[in-house]
Amino acid sequence: MENQVPFPEEALMAAAARFSQLNGDHLTDFDLAELRTWGLVEISADDLAESILERLRGAVEPPRTFRDSAYFVLGKKFDPSLKSFFVERMEFELSRDMEAVYQLMIALDNLREPVFAKDRTGYSVLDNDLNRRDAENYLRNFR
């Protein structure tokens, strides 16, 4: 992936596998093949995250499908230094893409942020009203 900009959407699931691998998870043969295909076998977590963030922050806004997947992938890094980015993007996405908001909520939840209300017994990308309520509450109270 070196010097390839912008980060291709097709490589995002391989990036998720790389973060999982770096967090100690065992990868399938398919995942390992994807890492080789996209040149992600030896990339550091920080360099990988930076490549994705560059595309998200670029002059040309990436499509919704890239953003949704990228938030999911970055959440797999479990990196507290990304908290402010996740909060900023949740505020940005709240008025336009609830699937992206949900992925950002999961990323914050991975950081043990209290983004979901305590009264919820489960979470789903389909629960737009509950997700909106919880995202707005989090943005009001926990920034």
Side-chain angles (χ1 to χ4, degrees):
M1 290 298 321
E2 291 178 25
N3 298 326
Q4 236 185 347
V5 176
F7 193 92
E9 185 170 349
E10 298 80 14
L12 284 170
M13 289 307 105
R18 180 65 176 149
F19 286 135
S20 293
Q21 181 185 47
L22 291 167
N23 286 323
D25 293 343
H26 177 75
L27 298 185
T28 65
D29 289 341
F30 176 81
D31 290 333
L32 292 169
E34 285 292 291
L35 292 181
R36 284 190 296 277
T37 296
W38 293 104
L40 301 178
V41 173
E42 295 184 21
I43 192 169
S44 73
D46 290 339
D47 287 346
L48 181 54
E50 190 54 40
S51 293
I52 296 167
L53 289 167
E54 282 178 16
R55 172 113 190 248
L56 287 167
R57 294 176 173 147
V60 176
E61 182 178 21
R64 181 192 60 78
T65 54
F66 181 91
R67 293 190 329 268
D68 292 352
S69 295
Y71 301 145
F72 165 80
V73 170
L74 290 170
K76 295 261 180 214
K77 190 170 186 260
F78 296 90
D79 182 354
S81 73
L82 290 172
K83 177 186 170 187
S84 62
F85 172 78
F86 293 147
V87 170
E88 169 195 312
R89 295 306 289 207
M90 189 164 65
E91 206 165 37
F92 172 74
E93 297 286 4
L94 197 56
S95 65
R96 59 192 219 149
D97 184 359
M98 286 306 296
E99 187 170 325
V101 170
Y102 176 76
Q103 295 304 333
L104 289 158
M105 293 173 78
I106 294 295
L108 287 164
D109 188 61
N110 288 346
L111 299 177
R112 304 219 186 283
E113 284 293 308
V115 69
F116 291 103
K118 290 181 182 180
D119 66 348
R120 292 192 59 181
T121 57
Y123 320 123
S124 169
V125 70
L126 302 176
D127 293 333
N128 285 339
D129 292 339
L130 290 173
N131 292 339
R132 179 177 300 282
R133 176 200 73 179
D134 290 351
E136 288 173 347
N137 185 54
Y138 178 82
L139 290 171
R140 255 192 319 275
N141 296 308
F142 295 102
R143 303 208 294 118

